[in-house]
Amino acid sequence: MLASMLTSILASGLAAGAIYALVGVTYNTMFSTSRVMSFTAGQLAMLGGVFGSMFTLKLGLPIAIGFVLTLLCCAMIGIITEFVAVRPVLKSLDQHLYVLSTLAVALMIQQVTAIKWGTEPQPFPRIVGFGEGVLDEKFWLPVVACAITIIGLEYLYRRTLVGRAFLAIAEDNFAARALGLPERNLRVASYALAGVVGGIAGFSGGQLLLAFFANGALLNFYGFVPVALGGLGNNRGAIIGGLALGLFQQAANFLVGGIFSSVAVFTLFIVVLLAAPQGLFGSSTARRV
């Protein structure tokens, strides 16, 4: 009995944690080139599930084609976010207005999805058709998608010119601009990349979360927690924080259940931030005077 419970906690916790981690990486990808915390990250993951279900179940397209179209649509939403909610704010004197602008876009995405898609959770198709019980694909697929995504991002950032340009912009956008790097184009590309990562999170976790418009707000918070715990801009920290959060959340669900599991997550979040405001894997930034 105990072994079965631990196995269930491990399987569901790692799956949920992988989804949270990917949403955290979505936050980081947008932040790296703009220094803006875009609150559309959770909505991008939600759209990954909604578009995936629409293309594969409602329109009857093959899984592979539905997956590619889902990522393209999420990338477009990411680009629209940069144009509508981020670029105008970066031109203003008070750049902290991004909190309102990105939140407004997130709410618009959620409401439009609710109107066009419906307010009830919709089913998501089986993708691989492999596994039963705790080995069901809905548990291991998000973990595999998370691992492949991180490996791909590491290769992009470390081995390609575009990736190194991303890192240069993230390190010092003024110096990168002085060297002739196209900061605006790289920022747009990073938001498209963030849309792809969010789409992967939603598509791979579609069977676990279903295609539901309300997932956006939920993932916005649970995706932000790994970023705060792991350190803003630290993808490795976001992965570790996301997996730890998923395991902790599922353990709390089994032990106390209901609303108390959310209280436990909030409590852990506050305690960790009080102990390490820069995150467990983040470093405090030096201020020039």
Side-chain angles (χ1 to χ4, degrees):
M1 180 67 179
L2 180 60
S4 176
M5 184 181 72
L6 291 177
T7 303
S8 298
I9 291 175
L10 187 64
S12 57
L14 288 177
I19 297 171
Y20 301 154
L22 284 174
V23 178
V25 173
T26 304
Y27 270 115
N28 283 339
T29 304
M30 291 187 281
F31 177 82
S32 62
T33 56
S34 62
R35 290 295 181 262
V36 165
M37 282 294 296
S38 175
F39 293 101
T40 57
Q43 307 296 341
L44 290 170
M46 176 271 291
L47 289 175
V50 169
F51 282 134
S53 179
M54 180 183 73
F55 288 131
T56 56
L57 286 184
K58 286 200 171 183
L59 300 182
L61 298 175
I63 293 294
I65 296 177
F67 177 64
V68 172
L69 290 177
T70 296
L71 298 190
L72 288 176
C73 289
C74 289
M76 287 301 302
I77 298 297
I79 292 173
I80 292 172
T81 299
E82 195 279 334
F83 274 93
V84 173
V86 175
R87 184 174 299 187
V89 171
L90 293 180
K91 295 178 181 178
S92 68
L93 294 177
D94 189 2
Q95 294 187 3
H96 294 293
L97 287 174
Y98 73 79
V99 175
L100 297 177
S101 62
T102 60
L103 185 60
V105 171
L107 291 174
M108 289 176 61
I109 292 173
Q110 179 170 304
Q111 293 306 313
V112 171
T113 304
I115 294 171
K116 297 296 184 181
W117 180 252
T119 57
E120 295 297 325
Q122 301 290 331
F124 197 90
R126 289 183 66 82
I127 298 173
V128 181
F130 172 77
E132 295 180 355
V134 294
L135 296 178
D136 192 274
E137 67 177 62
K138 71 179 180 181
F139 294 125
W140 60 260
L141 196 58
V143 178
V144 172
C146 182
I148 293 175
T149 301
I150 292 303
I151 293 173
L153 288 176
E154 284 294 315
Y155 180 85
L156 172 69
Y157 289 140
R158 306 298 176 184
R159 300 297 180 88
T160 67
L161 290 177
V162 174
R164 291 175 180 174
F166 280 145
L167 293 178
I169 293 292
E171 184 68 26
D172 191 331
N173 61 344
F174 293 105
R177 192 186 310 161
L179 291 173
L181 291 177
E183 180 200 7
R184 180 177 298 178
N185 293 339
L186 288 171
R187 190 170 64 241
V188 172
S190 74
Y191 272 72
L193 179 61
V196 170
V197 175
I200 292 173
F203 196 92
S204 64
Q207 296 177 63
L208 195 65
L209 301 176
L210 300 179
F212 187 32
F213 84 101
N215 284 341
L218 183 74
L219 292 175
N220 257 341
F221 172 71
Y222 284 119
F224 178 74
V225 173
V227 174
L229 298 182
L232 189 58
N234 188 331
N235 281 345
R236 296 177 184 179
I239 297 301
I240 297 173
L243 294 176
L245 172 63
L247 290 171
F248 179 82
Q249 182 191 43
Q250 295 305 313
N253 277 333
F254 272 88
L255 294 176
V256 295
I259 189 64
F260 296 106
S261 63
S262 299
V263 173
V265 171
F266 274 103
T267 303
L268 174 68
F269 179 51
I270 293 172
V271 168
V272 172
L273 286 188
L274 287 175
Q278 74 279 6
L280 296 176
F281 304 98
S283 57
S284 56
T285 56
R287 182 184 175 190
R288 295 179 180 178
V289 294

